[in-house]
Amino acid sequence: MTETNLTIAIDGPASSGKSTVAKRIANDLNLIYVDTGAMYRALTYQALKQNVNIKDEKALINLLKNTVITLEKTEDGQSVFVNDEEVTEDIRENNVTNTVSIVAAHPQVRTEMVIRQQKLAENNGVVMDGRDIGTVVLPASDVKVFLVASVKERAERRHKENVSKGIFSDLDQLKKDIAERDYKDTSRDTSPLKQADDAIRIDSTKLSIEEVVEKIKELIDSTLK
Ligand code: C5P
């Protein structure tokens, strides 16, 4: 194994810093970054836009089969497209954030998404973040990280981010929303959010992004030795 064909899985609950850390590592090691949450968000966005009932699994699968979701690398991260429409910002809106866990709980939706995610990792070194990467999507990953942080810390980070972007933000509501999404993601029947047996747990509550990145790089170095 070399650095170029490494497979790194980063799982964890909402707003634990997965995507920031994953992007940083992918950039530094020249690996492809795959944000699987963005894929579930893109489908949710499309369903809301087309008035597809997000509780209707069949209708969602039909929609997904006709939806091309593209993740495109940019200088500061990644752009997301649904068919030819750029939805990078739209998929972060509250209406998507608060309903995506319902869409992601449908087993058949997950099956199709996992196939697409595994294809993205075929013949490529990747850093993939999500909820089930180490357990289901890429169980043979070279490095598996389970990144956690307290609900309070995660809500405060999201709050700061919103404020800095000039987006209205209510800290107490954020805490409730994050706790609810945690509950939905950990309690669903199909591939719930859970730490893989061989994943390394990193609690980022008291760590900076740089410190988390350093810890993961140490894990990567020891794997390559
Ligand atoms: O990572 P992010 O918070 O953007 O993910 C949005 C939602 O997509 C999660 O709350 C979860 O319901 C779902 N998801 C998932 N499996 C993944 C990635 C995300 O179920 N691999």
Side-chain angles (χ1 to χ4, degrees):
M1 185 208 321
T2 66
E3 229 176 57
T4 51
N5 62 9
L6 270 174
T7 304
I8 300 168
I10 304 184
D11 289 302
S15 304
S16 57
K18 300 181 301 292
S19 66
T20 311
V21 165
K23 256 182 249 167
R24 203 67 80 80
I25 291 171
N27 229 8
D28 292 356
L29 302 186
N30 215 6
L31 299 168
I32 292 172
Y33 165 55
V34 181
D35 174 356
T36 61
M39 298 171 73
Y40 289 97
R41 285 172 180 274
L43 175 62
T44 306
Y45 167 84
Q46 192 70 347
L48 295 176
K49 188 176 160 199
Q50 302 205 354
N51 284 322
V52 170
N53 180 355
I54 58 167
K55 296 198 170 139
D56 183 343
E57 181 167 34
K58 256 203 187 130
L60 277 176
I61 276 294
N62 261 337
L63 178 67
L64 181 55
K65 294 251 158 90
N66 291 300
T67 305
V68 179
I69 300 170
T70 318
L71 308 177
E72 215 175 87
K73 189 178 184 315
T74 60
E75 227 167 77
D76 56 348
Q78 169 193 258
S79 294
V80 184
F81 294 85
V82 167
N83 299 327
D84 283 330
E85 182 191 354
E86 184 175 359
V87 297
T88 313
E89 303 287 328
D90 308 80
I91 62 167
R92 307 285 157 197
E93 297 282 342
N94 283 340
N95 60 341
V96 173
T97 302
N98 294 334
T99 47
V100 59
S101 295
I102 298 171
V103 170
H106 294 295
Q108 290 184 53
V109 168
R110 302 201 68 82
T111 303
E112 174 64 22
M113 288 294 194
V114 170
I115 291 170
R116 293 186 187 197
Q117 291 154 6
Q118 288 172 337
K119 273 205 187 115
L120 291 173
E122 237 169 43
N123 313 317
N124 287 314
V126 291
V127 184
M128 197 176 277
D129 82 38
R131 303 292 187 286
D132 58 342
I133 312 306
T135 50
V136 178
V137 182
L138 304 171
S141 296
D142 303 303
V143 176
K144 295 185 189 178
V145 172
F146 197 74
L147 190 60
V148 298
S150 69
V151 171
K152 182 169 173 279
E153 174 66 23
R154 287 185 279 144
E156 279 166 4
R157 285 180 195 164
R158 191 42 54 96
H159 184 61
K160 267 194 208 148
E161 198 181 313
N162 287 346
V163 171
S164 75
K165 286 184 185 161
I167 299 172
F168 169 79
S169 190
D170 174 339
L171 183 59
D172 284 335
Q173 190 59 45
L174 278 174
K175 278 186 202 156
K176 280 186 203 140
D177 292 346
I178 286 177
E180 188 176 332
R181 202 136 64 91
D182 283 358
Y183 173 72
K184 285 196 182 125
D185 289 344
T186 50
S187 63
R188 69 177 174 229
D189 291 335
T190 310
S191 37
L193 168 67
K194 85 171 200 283
Q195 182 173 345
D197 293 339
D198 51 351
I200 306 291
R201 190 182 187 90
I202 299 178
D203 187 337
S204 76
T205 306
K206 294 195 170 75
L207 298 178
S208 67
I209 294 292
E210 282 67 32
E211 287 170 318
V212 177
V213 169
E214 265 328 294
K215 272 187 188 282
I216 298 176
K217 282 191 177 166
E218 281 165 21
L219 291 174
I220 295 170
D221 284 345
S222 61
T223 307
L224 286 172
K225 266 180 204 152

